[in-house]
Amino acid sequence: DFLFFWGAVFLVTTTLVALFKKENQELIPAKEETKGIADTYRLLFSIIKMPAVLTFCLLILTSKVGFSAADAVTGLKLVEEGVPKEHLALLAVPMVPLQIILPLVISKYTAGPQPLNTFYKAMPYRLLLGLEFAFLVWWAPKVKHEGGFPVYYYAVVVLSYALHQITLYSMYVAIMAFNAKVSDPLIGGTYMTLLNTVSNLGGNWPSTVALWLVDPLTVKECAGAQGHTCATAAAAEV
């Protein structure tokens, strides 16, 4: 029902935009230098070869490695420790207005000549919140009781997620602002797409690696089975 309702809203609103929104015919957009797919990829390759762009791509491809475990694994580990999935889903509801307001607030600080300053300032706080998330996972079994988890535990989780959203959006908006600032207007779409794709990739591959490393890096102990370390799936099954 939820998906059906919002699917209907999406279809209605986009249809209304298609029917009633008129393009401004007076403004003639700047003609892009590319003419086809081959030209576009040649242009992208020439952009990537620029030393400054290459350095920036290496920066954003590796900048989120320190957050990958906290971002990708925390929710799964909380569920593993007994926090109901539906409760975690409900905790995401208070984040929605925060996610709407944050870009508006942060954009005031990224509108200047050095938008990446906000990115750098938010990074250490986001790293520290990774330790906070690790503490939440460690703390979960300590406060769990027969009825579930106390209200104060959920309050701490919501506060932690809210602080995490602030740091996350500070970095995200700063990167978007920087990409928009440095992109050449003549090839703005191509330039922005390249930088944003690299930025998205920089957030996705560390999370994938973090999820893949969960099992190899998890320490397990066997009870009542001498000589078994439970290090492999077969040993844990035995």
Side-chain angles (χ1 to χ4, degrees):
D1 291 343
F2 177 83
L3 291 173
F4 181 82
F5 173 78
W6 287 111
V9 171
F10 183 85
L11 286 172
V12 169
T13 52
T14 50
T15 303
L16 290 174
V17 170
L19 292 175
F20 297 109
K21 178 70 178 78
K22 303 300 180 184
E23 296 293 340
N24 190 341
Q25 299 296 335
E26 296 177 4
L27 296 176
I28 301 172
K31 187 178 180 182
E32 292 201 0
E33 293 182 357
T34 54
K35 295 179 180 178
I37 295 175
D39 286 341
T40 302
Y41 278 99
R42 274 195 291 268
L43 183 61
L44 285 173
F45 187 67
S46 65
I47 293 170
I48 290 176
K49 286 194 298 182
M50 295 165 63
V53 174
L54 192 60
T55 304
F56 179 63
C57 287
L58 289 173
L59 167 72
I60 55 179
L61 278 173
T62 56
S63 62
K64 296 177 183 175
V65 171
F67 323 127
S68 55
D71 290 359
V73 185
T74 301
L76 299 173
K77 283 295 176 184
L78 287 175
V79 171
E80 190 179 285
E81 294 296 345
V83 180
K85 284 184 283 188
E86 57 270 24
H87 289 182
L88 281 179
L90 281 174
L91 294 180
V93 175
M95 298 299 112
V96 175
L98 189 65
Q99 291 167 350
I100 295 171
I101 295 167
L102 277 174
L104 298 173
V105 176
I106 296 166
S107 61
K108 295 178 182 178
Y109 301 96
T110 58
Q114 296 178 315
L116 279 186
N117 282 350
T118 306
F119 180 92
Y120 295 135
K121 288 175 182 175
M123 183 176 281
Y125 296 104
R126 192 171 171 187
L127 286 170
L128 287 172
L129 283 168
L131 296 176
E132 164 73 4
F133 283 177
F135 168 75
L136 288 176
V137 174
W138 172 84
W139 193 31
K142 313 288 183 187
V143 296
K144 187 180 180 182
H145 51 72
E146 290 184 3
F149 290 85
V151 175
Y152 65 81
Y153 180 77
Y154 287 118
V156 174
V157 171
V158 169
L159 180 61
S160 301
Y161 270 89
L163 292 173
H164 178 259
Q165 289 294 313
I166 293 171
T167 58
L168 186 152
Y169 272 83
S170 295
M171 296 180 69
Y172 176 76
V173 174
I175 282 287
M176 292 298 107
F178 181 80
N179 291 348
K181 195 172 187 64
V182 300
S183 297
D184 187 340
L186 286 177
I187 49 170
T190 305
Y191 215 127
M192 279 284 288
T193 301
L194 171 66
L195 295 180
N196 289 344
T197 300
V198 175
S199 180
N200 291 334
L201 185 61
N204 290 333
W205 80 260
S207 296
T208 304
V209 172
L211 288 169
W212 181 75
L213 287 173
V214 168
D215 275 347
L217 294 179
T218 298
V219 178
K220 300 173 184 176
E221 296 177 0
C222 288
Q226 298 295 327
H228 284 283
T229 61
C230 290
T232 64
E237 187 68 25
V238 171

